[in-house]
Amino acid sequence: MLRHFIHKMTENAAKRLKTDSGVVAIGTHNGHFHADEALAVYMLRKHIPTYANAKLVRTRDPKLLDECDIVVDVGGEYEPARHRYDHHQRTFSTTFPERATKLSSAGLVYMHFGKQIIARRLSQPEESEQVSLVWNKIYLSFVEALDAHDNGISAYDAAAIAAAGLEKKFSDGGFTLGAMVGRLNPNWNDPIPENPVAAQEAEDKRFELASQRIGEEFDRDLDYFTSAWLPAREVVAEAFTARSEFDAGGRIMVLKKQSAPWKDHLYTLEEQNPEAGKVLYVLYPEKPTPDAKWRIQCVPETKDSFQSRKPLPEAWRGFRDEELDGISGVPGSVFVHAAGFIGGNKTFDGALAMAQKALL
């Protein structure tokens, strides 16, 4: 019964493909879908002109896949010259440049087409430094997690965690990029249309929804890293160069006009200039107006860490306004967070005085 049902679905897919001869076709597998092929299909259809109006063919039939212009996540082949991008072969071990995570179909498509996507967005040549920077950054921040998820690679060394006796304090709900797509698959006990054509159409509709959903998140990263993160690089570099204006040891960095995404760029600049020492505090206005209040933020040990290199003084933490003025000895104080990682003052001079006192 099941074999007959699958045969009928394949037969109908063949009829659809023949009917649409001349139309560019993207092939991937049918059945239970995952985030990697959902994103791979989205990147091709949304961002690569050749595949903008491509027909989607979801099947495992080799004959049907052979007729497709590009195939992802199925077929047992990785041959870029023929646009075959599967990663399930026993011998497959390809990784993104300078990374150890084995690629999935998302990583393969991104590795081969990502620079074209970014170059089109930036109106820059694919070989430009800006394109390479964003290409690497989006892989690290977004695509690599999908590669790891599909290949069963944990973000942490399970043996090391067990040896250290570490346990989760609470459940994070398992809400990852991969889980976001996975939950769009039908439940095990959802009704399936008896008609094979209707059943495949219903499954394909779910896949299209999943592809669009993960694609929206990809586009948010693409927009952010091309229009916000990349322009911030110059702003942070200028502030990094001017650190000695505010502290002889270069431990205070000031973003003079407005806040910008600074953490990634700061860590990169520090790596490139090890002799310059570490920045401990970053100052910036809350908004780009002359009357704006100022923030003093501690630099974390790492980008995603809650541990600051040098937290604001414990005696200041959790206090506000006039009470904080008296404790800190700096007028115009607004607050210091109870965890000591951020504080505020009504003026730049006040925020700078707080940072300088916190250094002592």
Side-chain angles (χ1 to χ4, degrees), residues 112-347:
H112 287 280
F113 294 91
K115 285 189 176 181
Q116 182 180 345
I117 293 171
I118 296 160
R120 284 169 53 79
R121 181 60 61 93
L122 292 176
S123 298
Q124 295 279 344
E126 288 187 34
E127 62 273 14
S128 71
E129 181 187 6
Q130 292 92 335
V131 168
S132 292
L133 280 169
V134 176
W135 181 63
N136 278 285
K137 188 59 186 175
I138 291 178
Y139 181 76
L140 294 176
S141 72
F142 192 95
V143 181
E144 187 172 25
L146 300 181
D147 289 341
H149 177 269
D150 201 71
N151 285 302
I153 301 170
S154 176
Y156 299 97
D157 185 330
I161 290 175
L166 299 178
E167 295 182 1
K168 272 189 172 182
K169 293 183 178 180
F170 55 87
S171 170
D172 56 11
F175 193 78
T176 62
L177 290 170
M180 181 179 69
V181 167
R183 67 200 302 172
L184 294 174
N185 279 285
N187 294 317
W188 68 274
N189 55 352
D190 284 347
I192 300 175
E194 293 184 4
N195 184 294
V197 175
Q200 188 61 63
E201 287 177 349
E203 184 184 284
D204 289 351
K205 186 176 180 180
R206 282 180 173 271
F207 177 84
E208 295 277 9
L209 177 62
S211 184
Q212 180 66 28
R213 182 69 185 88
I214 192 70
E216 288 171 356
E217 295 301 325
F218 174 81
D219 282 350
R220 287 188 179 93
D221 257 29
L222 180 63
D223 290 341
Y224 171 73
F225 286 112
T226 54
S227 64
W229 180 86
L230 187 61
R233 182 170 175 249
E234 183 177 344
V235 174
V236 178
E238 182 180 339
F240 187 81
T241 301
R243 291 175 301 148
S244 60
E245 294 180 24
F246 311 103
D247 174 64
R251 296 168 294 177
I252 299 173
M253 187 174 79
V254 178
L255 302 175
K256 296 180 179 180
K257 296 179 180 178
Q258 67 183 100
S259 178
W262 53 266
K263 292 180 184 177
D264 281 335
H265 300 303
L266 174 59
Y267 296 139
T268 299
L269 288 164
E270 288 180 336
E271 288 177 6
Q272 294 172 346
N273 301 273
E275 75 288 348
K278 301 289 188 181
V279 175
L280 300 181
Y281 302 121
V282 176
L283 277 57
Y284 54 85
E286 292 183 356
K287 53 186 178 179
T289 59
D291 62 342
K293 295 176 182 178
W294 279 73
R295 292 287 179 94
I296 168 175
Q297 187 168 348
C298 305
V299 178
E301 291 285 357
T302 61
K303 179 189 171 184
D304 299 318
S305 171
F306 290 110
Q307 183 66 43
S308 300
R309 288 176 175 175
K310 186 173 177 59
L312 295 172
E314 195 280 331
W316 301 0
R317 300 176 199 174
F319 291 98
R320 302 184 59 86
D321 305 322
E322 290 84 2
E323 190 173 13
L324 180 56
D325 286 353
I327 297 170
S328 67
V330 180
S333 298
V334 177
F335 79 100
V336 169
H337 193 279
F341 72 94
I342 195 168
N345 196 282
K346 295 177 181 177
T347 68

Side-chain angles (χ1 to χ4, degrees), residues 17 60-68:
L17 190 58
R60 294 183 183 275
D61 186 327
K63 293 181 180 179
L64 293 181
L65 293 174
D66 282 345
E67 296 182 31
C68 294

